[in-house]
Amino acid sequence: MIGKAAAQMTALLAALALLCGPAFADAPYRPARGSQILWDRYGVAHVYARTVTDMFYAFGWAQARSHGDILARLYAEGRGRAAEYYGAEELENDRWMAINGVPARAQQWLHQQEPGFRRDLEAFAAGMSAYARAHPQALSEQARRVFPVTAVDVLAHEQREFQFIYAAPADIARRLPPDAGSNGWAIAPSRSASGHSMLLMNPHLPWAPGWSTYYEIQLTAPGIDLYGATQVGLPVPAGTAIRLQ
């Protein structure tokens, strides 16, 4: 009876592993010839893509090159399996993801996307996975186990960040200082010494690698000329200067 119970438990764990794994394999998307990423002296990526979907692919590749280990941990946390890769300290996060149905909802959200943007999300994830596959030595052992990532991981991370970090439960919000919050200033050209408009963003985020890490980038593709920044792991810049051609 003990042997039979052990076999049943092994089969159950194997089934759960399949269910909890990434819902989609590493996307087969490959960029067209002619797209490129140029890096300036400050380490900022400048993407020049032949198509918009290629731009998303390059955006993912560039993020993985710059912050592969951070990306892996964030996506592992959104996947609700961070303890599997990083240890028992992540159990509370994984429990919270499971209770709130984050991985399953991310898969549902992906299916609800407009087909073109879904393709872009898949290309973004494919770009990150392609970098990890080509440069495993640049990643920690734990990060290598998280890759490949998928569009489901991207949406799970977004959901975790915006709904379970920013929109914190009331008991967490009560522990924040009363003056916590973000702010910014816009200065008109007539008020600046240079005669140019100026924008200062002060997001009041933790100065530590993780979900609050910002990523600066230029993204150029047919119809798009965009320069800005976003938080690592997100597929679109959050603060940008954009010119539609």
Side-chain angles (χ1 to χ4, degrees):
M1 289 296 293
I2 294 178
K4 183 178 180 180
Q8 290 174 337
M9 181 60 71
T10 300
L12 176 60
L13 290 174
L16 287 173
L18 289 172
L19 289 173
C20 294
F24 296 88
D26 189 10
Y29 184 82
R30 295 293 180 269
R33 288 184 176 275
S35 296
Q36 60 180 336
I37 304 174
L38 303 179
W39 301 84
D40 64 25
R41 70 178 67 181
Y42 303 105
V44 176
H46 301 262
V47 172
Y48 299 92
R50 297 290 297 274
T51 69
V52 172
T53 306
D54 283 359
M55 182 189 75
F56 276 88
Y57 180 95
F59 191 15
W61 200 97
Q63 284 202 37
R65 179 185 185 272
S66 301
H67 296 297
D69 281 357
I70 294 176
L71 279 171
R73 187 150 195 159
L74 291 174
Y75 288 151
E77 289 170 341
R79 195 182 287 175
R81 295 175 58 190
E84 176 183 338
Y85 311 115
Y86 295 97
E89 65 188 83
E90 291 282 3
L91 282 172
E92 183 59 28
N93 169 82
D94 292 355
R95 176 177 175 273
W96 195 237
M97 294 299 97
I99 288 174
N100 288 281
V102 170
R105 190 177 300 108
Q107 186 170 345
Q108 177 186 352
W109 283 0
L110 181 61
H111 284 294
Q112 293 172 340
Q113 297 301 311
E114 182 270 334
F117 188 59
R118 174 171 174 168
R119 185 67 166 167
D120 293 339
L121 290 173
E122 290 171 344
F124 178 70
M128 289 184 279
S129 297
Y131 177 83
R133 185 168 55 248
H135 302 278
Q137 73 285 351
L139 303 170
S140 67
E141 178 183 355
Q142 296 97 324
R144 288 195 296 270
R145 295 172 58 203
V146 176
F147 284 99
V149 298
T150 71
V152 173
D153 291 318
V154 176
L155 292 178
H157 164 61
E158 289 189 45
Q159 187 181 162
R160 175 179 179 267
E161 181 163 321
F162 290 114
Q163 292 188 263
F164 300 100
I165 295 178
Y166 278 114
D171 61 327
I172 296 177
R174 281 195 294 269
R175 296 187 224 125
L176 297 174
D179 58 349
S182 303
N183 51 58
W185 294 267
I187 301 173
S190 61
R191 297 290 185 175
S192 68
S194 67
H196 297 294
S197 58
M198 301 173 65
L199 179 66
L200 174 64
M201 180 179 68
N202 185 11
H204 289 198
L205 294 175
W207 190 257
W211 64 270
S212 61
T213 299
Y214 263 84
Y215 193 70
E216 182 179 357
I217 196 166
Q218 179 183 0
L219 298 170
T220 305
I224 295 176
D225 185 3
L226 182 153
Y227 192 104
T230 192
Q231 284 162 264
V232 170
L234 301 181
V236 293
T240 63
I242 182 169
R243 180 182 64 186
L244 297 179
Q245 298 170 345

Coordinates of all heavy atoms in Angstrom, one line a residue, residues 143-189:
A143 N 18.7 31.6 -12.6 CA 18.1 32.3 -13.7 C 18.0 31.3 -14.9 O 17.0 31.3 -15.6 CB 18.8 33.5 -14.1
R144 N 19.0 30.6 -15.2 CA 19.0 29.7 -16.3 C 17.9 28.7 -16.2 O 17.3 28.2 -17.2 CB 20.4 28.9 -16.4 CG 21.5 29.8 -16.9 CD 22.7 29.0 -17.3 NE 23.3 28.2 -16.2 CZ 24.3 28.7 -15.4 NH1 24.8 29.9 -15.6 NH2 24.8 27.9 -14.5
R145 N 17.5 28.3 -15.0 CA 16.4 27.4 -14.8 C 15.1 28.0 -15.1 O 14.1 27.3 -15.4 CB 16.5 26.8 -13.4 CG 17.7 25.9 -13.1 CD 17.8 25.6 -11.6 NE 16.6 24.8 -11.2 CZ 16.2 24.8 -9.9 NH1 16.8 25.4 -9.0 NH2 15.1 24.1 -9.6
V146 N 15.0 29.3 -14.9 CA 13.7 30.0 -15.2 C 13.4 30.1 -16.7 O 12.3 29.9 -17.1 CB 13.7 31.4 -14.6 CG1 12.4 32.1 -14.9 CG2 13.9 31.3 -13.0
F147 N 14.4 30.3 -17.5 CA 14.3 30.4 -18.9 C 14.0 29.0 -19.5 O 14.5 28.0 -19.0 CB 15.5 31.1 -19.5 CG 15.6 32.6 -19.3 CD1 16.4 33.1 -18.3 CD2 14.8 33.4 -20.1 CE1 16.4 34.4 -18.1 CE2 14.9 34.8 -19.9 CZ 15.7 35.3 -18.9
P148 N 13.3 29.0 -20.7 CA 12.7 30.1 -21.4 C 11.5 30.7 -20.8 O 10.8 30.0 -20.0 CB 12.4 29.5 -22.8 CG 12.0 28.1 -22.5 CD 13.0 27.7 -21.4
V149 N 11.2 32.0 -21.1 CA 10.0 32.6 -20.6 C 9.0 32.8 -21.7 O 9.4 32.6 -22.9 CB 10.3 34.0 -20.0 CG1 11.2 33.8 -18.8 CG2 11.0 34.9 -21.0
T150 N 7.8 33.1 -21.4 CA 6.7 33.2 -22.4 C 5.9 34.4 -22.2 O 6.1 35.2 -21.2 CB 5.8 32.0 -22.3 OG1 5.0 32.1 -21.1 CG2 6.5 30.6 -22.2
A151 N 5.0 34.7 -23.1 CA 4.1 35.8 -23.0 C 3.2 35.7 -21.8 O 2.8 36.7 -21.2 CB 3.3 36.0 -24.3
V152 N 2.9 34.5 -21.4 CA 2.1 34.3 -20.1 C 2.9 34.8 -18.9 O 2.4 35.5 -18.0 CB 1.8 32.8 -19.9 CG1 1.1 32.6 -18.6 CG2 0.8 32.4 -21.1
D153 N 4.2 34.6 -18.9 CA 5.1 35.1 -17.8 C 5.1 36.6 -17.8 O 5.1 37.2 -16.7 CB 6.5 34.6 -18.0 CG 6.7 33.1 -17.7 OD1 6.0 32.6 -16.8 OD2 7.4 32.4 -18.5
V154 N 5.1 37.2 -19.0 CA 5.1 38.7 -19.1 C 3.9 39.2 -18.4 O 3.9 40.2 -17.6 CB 5.2 39.1 -20.5 CG1 5.1 40.7 -20.6 CG2 6.6 38.7 -21.1
L155 N 2.7 38.7 -18.8 CA 1.4 39.2 -18.2 C 1.3 38.8 -16.8 O 0.7 39.6 -16.0 CB 0.3 38.6 -19.0 CG 0.2 39.1 -20.5 CD1 -1.0 38.4 -21.2 CD2 0.0 40.6 -20.6
A156 N 1.8 37.7 -16.3 CA 1.8 37.4 -14.9 C 2.6 38.4 -14.1 O 2.2 38.8 -13.0 CB 2.2 35.9 -14.7
H157 N 3.8 38.7 -14.6 CA 4.6 39.7 -13.9 C 3.9 41.0 -13.9 O 3.9 41.7 -12.8 CB 5.9 39.8 -14.7 CG 6.7 41.0 -14.3 ND1 7.1 41.3 -13.0 CD2 7.1 42.1 -15.0 CE1 7.8 42.5 -12.9 NE2 7.7 43.0 -14.1
E158 N 3.3 41.5 -15.0 CA 2.6 42.8 -15.0 C 1.5 42.7 -13.9 O 1.3 43.7 -13.2 CB 2.0 43.0 -16.3 CG 3.0 43.4 -17.4 CD 2.3 43.8 -18.7 OE1 1.3 44.6 -18.6 OE2 2.7 43.4 -19.8
Q159 N 0.8 41.7 -13.9 CA -0.4 41.5 -12.9 C 0.1 41.6 -11.5 O -0.4 42.3 -10.6 CB -1.1 40.2 -13.2 CG -2.3 40.0 -12.4 CD -3.0 38.6 -12.7 OE1 -3.8 38.2 -12.0 NE2 -2.6 38.0 -13.8
R160 N 1.2 40.9 -11.2 CA 1.8 40.9 -9.9 C 2.3 42.3 -9.5 O 2.0 42.7 -8.4 CB 2.9 39.9 -9.8 CG 3.7 39.9 -8.5 CD 4.8 38.9 -8.4 NE 5.5 38.9 -7.2 CZ 6.6 39.7 -7.0 NH1 7.1 40.4 -7.9 NH2 7.2 39.7 -5.8
E161 N 2.9 42.9 -10.4 CA 3.5 44.2 -10.1 C 2.4 45.3 -9.8 O 2.5 46.0 -8.8 CB 4.4 44.7 -11.2 CG 5.1 46.0 -10.9 CD 6.3 46.3 -11.8 OE1 7.1 45.3 -12.1 OE2 6.5 47.4 -12.2
F162 N 1.5 45.4 -10.7 CA 0.5 46.4 -10.6 C -0.6 46.2 -9.6 O -1.1 47.1 -9.0 CB -0.1 46.7 -12.0 CG 0.9 47.4 -12.9 CD1 1.3 46.7 -14.1 CD2 1.4 48.6 -12.7 CE1 2.2 47.3 -14.9 CE2 2.3 49.2 -13.5 CZ 2.7 48.5 -14.7
Q163 N -1.0 44.9 -9.5 CA -2.1 44.6 -8.6 C -1.7 44.1 -7.2 O -2.4 44.3 -6.2 CB -3.0 43.5 -9.2 CG -3.7 44.0 -10.4 CD -4.8 43.0 -10.9 OE1 -4.5 42.2 -11.8 NE2 -5.9 43.0 -10.3
F164 N -0.5 43.6 -7.1 CA -0.1 43.0 -5.8 C 1.2 43.7 -5.2 O 1.7 43.2 -4.2 CB 0.1 41.5 -5.9 CG -1.2 40.8 -6.3 CD1 -1.3 40.4 -7.6 CD2 -2.2 40.6 -5.4 CE1 -2.5 39.8 -8.0 CE2 -3.4 40.0 -5.8 CZ -3.5 39.6 -7.1
I165 N 1.7 44.7 -5.9 CA 2.8 45.5 -5.3 C 2.4 46.9 -5.2 O 2.4 47.5 -4.1 CB 4.1 45.3 -6.2 CG1 4.7 43.9 -6.1 CG2 5.2 46.3 -5.6 CD1 5.9 43.7 -6.9
Y166 N 2.0 47.5 -6.4 CA 1.5 48.9 -6.3 C 0.2 49.0 -5.6 O 0.1 49.9 -4.7 CB 1.3 49.4 -7.8 CG 2.6 49.9 -8.4 CD1 3.1 49.2 -9.5 CD2 3.3 51.0 -7.9 CE1 4.3 49.7 -10.1 CE2 4.4 51.5 -8.5 CZ 5.0 50.8 -9.6 OH 6.1 51.3 -10.2
A167 N -0.8 48.2 -5.9 CA -2.1 48.3 -5.3 C -2.0 47.3 -4.1 O -2.6 46.3 -4.0 CB -3.2 47.8 -6.2
A168 N -1.2 47.7 -3.1 CA -0.9 46.9 -1.9 C -2.1 46.7 -1.1 O -3.0 47.6 -1.0 CB 0.2 47.5 -1.1
P169 N -2.2 45.6 -0.4 CA -3.3 45.3 0.6 C -3.3 46.4 1.7 O -2.3 47.0 1.9 CB -3.0 44.0 1.1 CG -2.2 43.3 0.1 CD -1.4 44.4 -0.5
A170 N -4.4 46.6 2.3 CA -4.6 47.7 3.2 C -3.6 47.6 4.4 O -3.1 48.6 4.8 CB -6.0 47.8 3.8
D171 N -3.3 46.4 4.9 CA -2.4 46.3 6.0 C -1.0 46.7 5.6 O -0.3 47.2 6.5 CB -2.4 44.8 6.5 CG -2.0 43.8 5.5 OD1 -2.2 44.0 4.3 OD2 -1.3 42.8 5.9
I172 N -0.6 46.5 4.4 CA 0.7 46.9 3.9 C 0.7 48.4 3.8 O 1.6 49.1 4.1 CB 1.1 46.2 2.6 CG1 1.2 44.7 2.9 CG2 2.4 46.8 2.1 CD1 1.6 43.9 1.6
A173 N -0.3 49.0 3.1 CA -0.4 50.4 2.9 C -0.3 51.2 4.2 O 0.2 52.3 4.3 CB -1.7 50.7 2.2
R174 N -0.9 50.7 5.3 CA -0.9 51.4 6.6 C 0.5 51.5 7.1 O 0.8 52.4 7.9 CB -1.8 50.6 7.6 CG -3.2 50.9 7.4 CD -4.0 50.5 8.7 NE -4.0 49.0 8.8 CZ -4.9 48.2 8.4 NH1 -5.9 48.6 7.6 NH2 -4.8 46.9 8.6
R175 N 1.5 50.6 6.7 CA 2.8 50.7 7.2 C 3.7 51.7 6.4 O 4.8 52.0 6.8 CB 3.5 49.3 7.1 CG 2.8 48.3 8.0 CD 3.6 47.0 8.0 NE 2.7 45.9 7.9 CZ 2.9 44.9 7.0 NH1 3.8 45.0 6.1 NH2 2.0 43.9 7.0
L176 N 3.2 52.2 5.3 CA 3.9 53.2 4.5 C 3.9 54.5 5.2 O 3.0 54.9 5.8 CB 3.3 53.3 3.1 CG 3.3 52.0 2.2 CD1 2.6 52.3 0.9 CD2 4.8 51.6 1.9
P177 N 5.0 55.3 5.0 CA 5.0 56.7 5.6 C 4.0 57.5 4.9 O 3.6 57.3 3.8 CB 6.5 57.2 5.2 CG 6.9 56.3 4.1 CD 6.3 55.0 4.3
P178 N 3.4 58.5 5.7 CA 2.3 59.3 5.2 C 2.6 60.1 3.9 O 1.7 60.5 3.2 CB 2.0 60.2 6.3 CG 3.2 60.2 7.2 CD 3.8 58.9 7.0
D179 N 3.9 60.4 3.7 CA 4.3 61.2 2.5 C 4.8 60.3 1.4 O 5.3 60.8 0.4 CB 5.4 62.2 2.9 CG 6.6 61.6 3.4 OD1 6.6 60.4 3.7 OD2 7.7 62.3 3.6
A180 N 4.5 59.0 1.4 CA 5.0 58.2 0.3 C 4.2 58.4 -0.9 O 3.0 58.7 -0.9 CB 4.8 56.7 0.7
G181 N 4.8 58.4 -2.1 CA 4.1 58.7 -3.3 C 5.1 59.2 -4.4 O 6.2 59.6 -4.0
S182 N 4.7 59.3 -5.6 CA 5.5 59.8 -6.7 C 5.1 61.2 -7.0 O 4.0 61.7 -6.7 CB 5.3 58.9 -7.9 OG 5.7 57.5 -7.6
N183 N 6.0 61.9 -7.7 CA 5.7 63.2 -8.2 C 6.5 63.6 -9.4 O 7.4 62.8 -9.8 CB 5.9 64.3 -7.1 CG 7.2 64.1 -6.4 OD1 8.3 64.2 -7.1 ND2 7.3 63.9 -5.1
G184 N 6.3 64.7 -10.0 CA 7.0 65.1 -11.2 C 6.8 66.6 -11.4 O 5.8 67.2 -10.9
W185 N 7.7 67.2 -12.2 CA 7.6 68.6 -12.5 C 7.8 68.8 -14.0 O 8.7 68.2 -14.6 CB 8.7 69.4 -11.8 CG 8.5 69.4 -10.3 CD1 7.8 70.4 -9.6 CD2 9.0 68.5 -9.3 NE1 7.9 70.1 -8.2 CE2 8.6 68.9 -8.1 CE3 9.8 67.3 -9.5 CZ2 8.9 68.2 -6.9 CZ3 10.1 66.6 -8.3 CH2 9.7 67.1 -7.1
A186 N 7.0 69.6 -14.6 CA 7.2 70.0 -16.0 C 7.5 71.5 -16.1 O 6.8 72.3 -15.4 CB 5.9 69.7 -16.8
I187 N 8.6 71.8 -16.8 CA 9.0 73.2 -16.9 C 8.9 73.7 -18.3 O 9.4 73.1 -19.2 CB 10.5 73.3 -16.4 CG1 10.6 72.8 -14.9 CG2 11.0 74.8 -16.5 CD1 12.0 72.7 -14.4
A188 N 8.2 74.8 -18.5 CA 8.0 75.3 -19.8 C 9.3 75.9 -20.4 O 10.1 76.4 -19.6 CB 6.9 76.4 -19.8
P189 N 9.4 76.0 -21.7 CA 10.6 76.6 -22.3 C 10.9 78.0 -21.8 O 12.1 78.4 -21.6 CB 10.3 76.6 -23.8 CG 9.3 75.4 -24.0 CD 8.5 75.5 -22.7

